[in-house]
Amino acid sequence: MTHPFLDLPPLGAARFAAVEDRVARLLGTRQDVVIMQGEALLPLEGAIRATAGPGTTALNVITGPYGQTFGNWLRDCGATVIDLAVPFHTAVTAAQIREAFAEHPEVDFVSLVHAEAATGNTNPVAEIGAVVRERGALFYLDAVASVGAEPVLPDAWGVDLCVIGAQKAMGGPAGVSAVSVSERAWARMAANPHAPRRSYLSLLDWKERWIDGGRKALLHAPAQLEMLALEACVERIEAAGLETVMRRHRTAALATRAGAVALGGGLEPYVYEESDAAPVATTLRAPSGVVASELVAGALANDGTLPLAAGGGALAGEMIRVNHYGADATLDAVRSSLAALGAELAKKGLAVDPEGARRAVESAWR
């Protein structure tokens, strides 16, 4: 038997390099871009372990669960870690970063999540990058959720390590990811005796065996289907235009926020300020006395295709996520999600205005 996903010709080094080049153009970067054969946690962890060690003092910004994870990895590497945590309903500011540097001038590494899909906030990377550049620290950025939903510009923002994944706003596969690496970051890795070498986590292996070799021979057999899916998703973004794709996500976020407010029933945006809200996904706070995970479960029982989820861990009781990214950055997905939440709130005896929510969503979409 034959199948369109099987019996494919091998994916050679030239095709692999061409996909890397397309990702680099998507990011508007002249830095080296390495596509890694795993979900984005692979380059996220690999980049930290490559550049951090016992001599590192890291400012780790926590605006959601991934910031907490990065702090754990940094400590595991032996780095001294200064956590800058802000409430999950807001964003960090450049002024807070500047204050942290003033208190800890020895900081030489800054880790930040651009947009936290898990909490629905987004951070002002351009302004933060300017502060980090002034101080000469290495700047590590998780842009997995933000790429495709809002601008991601490693070169313009002075980002030394920018990790992306395709599974959210890009509407692509989860099994491959990429990282852009500055010359400063490569130099930090080369000087770090603790950087992984001869390891699946190793970025230096890709530098020495792939990039320095002229990208002629791959380190190992590539994840063929995932690479083809990544190529297809970048091609689709190129065809539509990146600005068009980002505009669709911004509109979905604004419509969700407006619709939730109009729906009533005690539902409200989790991120207080619209300017702090991520375009990739919108988080909502469940009404007092209502368990968010139960509300979401009820909505999904009626329609399992809705892009709804409860918050993770301790947030499951109070947070609802409308994951309007990728293929779900549509008017229908937003409208249907809010209608389903409204129906569940009505079952609990709360006064809702589904027609008002529908009008608010459609008005925001124009």
Side-chain angles (χ1 to χ4, degrees), residues 335-362:
R335 191 167 46 195
S336 299
S337 295
L338 290 174
L341 292 173
E344 292 303 307
L345 290 169
K347 289 179 185 177
K348 297 182 179 298
L350 296 168
V352 293
D353 182 4
E355 181 59 25
R358 182 191 65 79
R359 288 195 302 269
V361 168
E362 293 177 357

Side-chain angles (χ1 to χ4, degrees), residues 295-313:
L295 195 70
V296 168
L300 292 176
N302 294 318
D303 184 354
T305 68
L306 295 172
L308 292 173

Side-chain angles (χ1 to χ4, degrees), residues 15 161 188 190 230 240 322 346 362:
R15 183 83 171 271
L161 295 154
R188 177 81 71 100
L230 175 61
V322 184
E362 293 177 357

Side-chain angles (χ1 to χ4, degrees), residues 11 23 40 61 94 108 150 159 171 183-184 197 215 256 287 293 295 314 320 356 359-360 363:
L11 185 77
V23 172
V61 182
D108 62 356
E150 55 187 305
V159 178
E183 289 300 324
R184 291 198 326 145
R197 290 167 170 82
R215 299 193 298 178
T256 303
S293 58
L295 195 70
I320 299 157
R359 288 195 302 269
S363 177

Side-chain angles (χ1 to χ4, degrees), residues 267 270 282-287 290-293 295-296 308-311 315-322 341 345:
L267 200 66
Y270 188 86
T282 298
T283 48
L284 304 171
R285 192 179 300 275
V290 174
V291 179
S293 58
L295 195 70
V296 168
L308 292 173
L315 296 174
E318 62 178 349
M319 181 189 286
I320 299 157
R321 287 170 47 192
V322 184
L341 292 173
L345 290 169

Side-chain angles (χ1 to χ4, degrees), residues 1-8:
M1 294 179 64
T2 61
H3 191 282
F5 293 151
L6 301 175
D7 305 319
L8 296 169

